[in-house]
Coordinates of all heavy atoms in Angstrom, one line a residue:
Chain A
A48 N 161.1 -106.1 -183.2 CA 161.9 -105.6 -182.1 C 162.2 -104.1 -182.2 O 162.1 -103.3 -181.3 CB 163.0 -106.4 -182.0
R49 N 162.4 -103.7 -183.5 CA 162.7 -102.3 -183.7 C 161.5 -101.4 -183.5 O 161.6 -100.4 -182.8 CB 163.2 -102.1 -185.1 CG 164.6 -102.5 -185.4 CD 165.1 -102.2 -186.7 NE 166.4 -102.7 -187.0 CZ 167.5 -102.1 -186.4 NH1 167.5 -101.0 -185.8 NH2 168.7 -102.7 -186.6
L50 N 160.3 -101.9 -183.9 CA 159.1 -101.1 -183.7 C 158.7 -101.0 -182.2 O 158.3 -100.0 -181.8 CB 158.0 -101.7 -184.6 CG 158.1 -101.4 -186.1 CD1 156.9 -102.3 -186.8 CD2 157.9 -100.0 -186.4
R51 N 158.9 -102.2 -181.5 CA 158.6 -102.1 -180.1 C 159.6 -101.2 -179.4 O 159.1 -100.5 -178.4 CB 158.6 -103.6 -179.6 CG 157.9 -103.7 -178.3 CD 157.8 -105.0 -177.8 NE 159.0 -105.8 -177.8 CZ 159.3 -107.0 -177.3 NH1 158.1 -107.7 -176.9 NH2 160.4 -107.5 -177.3
L52 N 160.9 -101.3 -179.8 CA 161.8 -100.4 -179.1 C 161.4 -99.0 -179.3 O 161.4 -98.2 -178.4 CB 163.1 -100.6 -179.8 CG 164.3 -99.8 -179.3 CD1 164.7 -100.1 -177.9 CD2 165.4 -100.0 -180.2
E53 N 160.9 -98.6 -180.5 CA 160.6 -97.3 -180.8 C 159.3 -96.9 -180.0 O 159.3 -95.7 -179.4 CB 160.3 -97.1 -182.3 CG 160.6 -95.8 -182.8 CD 160.5 -95.7 -184.3 OE1 161.0 -96.6 -185.0 OE2 159.9 -94.8 -184.9
T54 N 158.3 -97.7 -180.0 CA 157.1 -97.5 -179.2 C 157.4 -97.2 -177.8 O 156.9 -96.3 -177.2 CB 156.2 -98.7 -179.4 OG1 156.2 -99.1 -180.7 CG2 154.8 -98.3 -178.8
E55 N 158.3 -98.1 -177.2 CA 158.6 -98.0 -175.8 C 159.4 -96.8 -175.5 O 159.2 -96.1 -174.4 CB 159.4 -99.2 -175.3 CG 158.6 -100.5 -175.3 CD 157.6 -100.6 -174.1 OE1 157.8 -99.9 -173.1 OE2 156.7 -101.5 -174.2
Q56 N 160.3 -96.4 -176.4 CA 161.0 -95.2 -176.3 C 160.0 -93.9 -176.3 O 160.2 -93.0 -175.4 CB 162.0 -95.0 -177.4 CG 163.3 -95.7 -177.2 CD 164.3 -95.8 -178.2 OE1 163.8 -95.6 -179.4 NE2 165.5 -96.1 -178.0
L57 N 159.1 -93.9 -177.1 CA 158.1 -92.9 -177.2 C 157.2 -92.8 -176.0 O 156.8 -91.7 -175.5 CB 157.3 -93.0 -178.5 CG 158.0 -92.7 -179.8 CD1 157.2 -93.0 -181.0 CD2 158.5 -91.2 -179.9
G58 N 156.9 -94.0 -175.4 CA 156.0 -94.0 -174.3 C 156.7 -94.2 -173.0 O 156.0 -94.6 -172.1
A59 N 158.0 -94.0 -172.9 CA 158.7 -94.2 -171.6 C 158.2 -93.2 -170.6 O 158.0 -92.1 -170.9 CB 160.1 -94.0 -171.9

Side-chain angles (χ1 to χ4, degrees):
Chain A
R49 284 186 184 282
L50 287 172
R51 196 171 55 176
L52 175 70
E53 208 171 318
T54 312
E55 293 283 343
Q56 279 170 337
L57 289 170

